[in-house]
Structures are given as C-alpha cells and as structure tokens.
C-alpha cells in the first residue's frame, strides 16, 4: 500500500456546497447567509470573544471587586491563641468543644488556630490547620497538637 492508494471510506465524504450558482443549485443569490451584514461577507465574521467593541468578558472579569483568587478556596473557622488562654489546663480544644463553651459561635468550616496571643497552660488541640507560630507556643507550654479533619470545606458547601 502506498500513500497514493489511500482513499476515504465509502460514504464518509460529502460533496461541497456550490454557493451562488442559481436557484436550482439550492443555495443561489445570498447563498444561505441571509441578506447583508458582516456575517454575510466573505471572511466569516468577528473573532471569537468579540462583543462589538464592548470590553469583552475575558478582559472584564479580573477587574471585578472580590473576584476569587481560585475556585473553592477552603474556608476555616479561625481562632487566635489569645481566646484559648482562659481555658483550664489539660483541656481538649476542638471546634465542637469551643462551640459548647461559647468561644466560637458559628461554624464557618474546619478549625484553624492562629498564633496571636500566648497560652500558659498545656492544651490538647484537635484542628484542621494550625500556624507554625501557634504550634510552637502550644508545644512550649507543654500541650499537644493533632492535625486532622476536612480541609475541603468551602463557604459554598
């Protein structure tokens, strides 16, 4: 078999439309493109994304306020170490225990501990995330940190 012997499968090709060759040809006069206008001329029409001179969507979007940096950004329930300083020694800190105590009032997603403030008593912290400074302060006070829980929580879910 040679390159010149290759043929398309029978029935896979169709004849091209002969435009502008009279009524009998089926596509006479305006060639099925309607009357006049940009889309009736040769060369097709405007490029994809063109909106008639208006700033197109792909150029408008990043300028909008509050445009998300990435989709489904994880949302955490944030709390600083300052709020945990009043807890008794040996307490277990989790989102559920903080809600029971009234320290946290809303569940905005998994718990994340931030390092602002000091903690002077040993605590057992169960959270989805913790900052390095907060971890160092908790462990310096003799506490433990257990990381776990769902990180995929989002404001939309």
């Amino acid at each position: 078999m040679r390159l010149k012997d290759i043929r398309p499968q029978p029935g896979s090709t169709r004849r091209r439309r002969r435009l502008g060759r009279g009524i009998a040809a089926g596509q006479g006069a305006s060639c099925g493109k309607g009357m006049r206008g940009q889309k009736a001329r040769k060369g097709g029409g405007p490029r994809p994304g063109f909106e008639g001179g208006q700033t197109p969507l792909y150029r408008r979007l990043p300028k909008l306020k509050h445009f998300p940096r990435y989709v489904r950004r994880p949302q955490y329930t944030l709390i600083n170490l300052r709020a945990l300083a009043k807890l008794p020694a040996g307490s277990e800190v989790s989102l559920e225990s903080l809600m029971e105590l009234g320290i946290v009032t809303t569940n905005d997603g998994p718990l994340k501990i931030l390092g602002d403030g000091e903690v002077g008593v040993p605590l057992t912290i169960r959270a989805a995330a913790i900052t390095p400074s907060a971890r160092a302060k908790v462990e310096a006070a003799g506490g433990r940190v257990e990381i776990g829980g769902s990180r995929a929580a989002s404001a939309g879910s």
Side-chain angles (χ1 to χ4, degrees):
M1 178 179 250
R2 300 205 181 276
L3 199 58
K4 65 180 183 181
D5 299 331
I6 295 174
R7 297 272 180 267
Q9 289 279 10
S12 68
T13 58
R14 301 175 67 178
R15 68 183 189 86
R16 68 180 184 85
R17 290 194 312 170
R18 296 188 67 230
L19 301 176
R21 295 296 181 268
I23 297 170
Q27 297 289 341
S30 57
C31 307
K33 293 187 173 204
M35 296 291 278
R36 290 179 286 273
Q38 186 175 14
K39 292 192 282 186
R41 314 283 187 217
K42 68 179 183 179
R47 67 182 181 275
F50 184 69
E51 296 183 22
Q54 170 178 301
T55 305
L57 183 69
Y58 68 87
R59 290 190 57 201
R60 287 196 308 265
L61 281 180
K63 296 180 184 176
L64 296 176
K65 287 183 182 177
H66 314 298
F67 191 76
R69 294 193 189 268
Y70 56 92
V71 180
R72 295 193 57 80
R73 180 180 195 156
Q75 295 290 319
Y76 291 105
T77 301
L78 302 175
I79 189 161
N80 277 302
L81 283 179
R82 183 184 324 114
L84 305 179
K86 302 177 203 121
L87 294 175
S91 297
E92 185 176 303
V93 177
S94 66
L95 182 59
E96 294 77 26
S97 66
L98 292 175
M99 288 186 81
E100 286 173 12
L101 293 170
I103 296 173
V104 172
T105 55
T106 58
N107 181 354
D108 296 328
L111 183 65
K112 182 173 183 176
I113 309 291
L114 306 178
D116 188 26
E118 295 295 326
V119 63
V121 293
L123 301 171
T124 302
I125 294 180
R126 288 195 174 94
I130 188 167
T131 60
S133 63
R135 179 186 284 269
K137 290 176 184 179
V138 169
E139 289 174 350
R144 273 186 340 175
V145 175
E146 296 176 15
I147 300 295
S150 172
R151 293 179 144 217
S154 166
S157 298

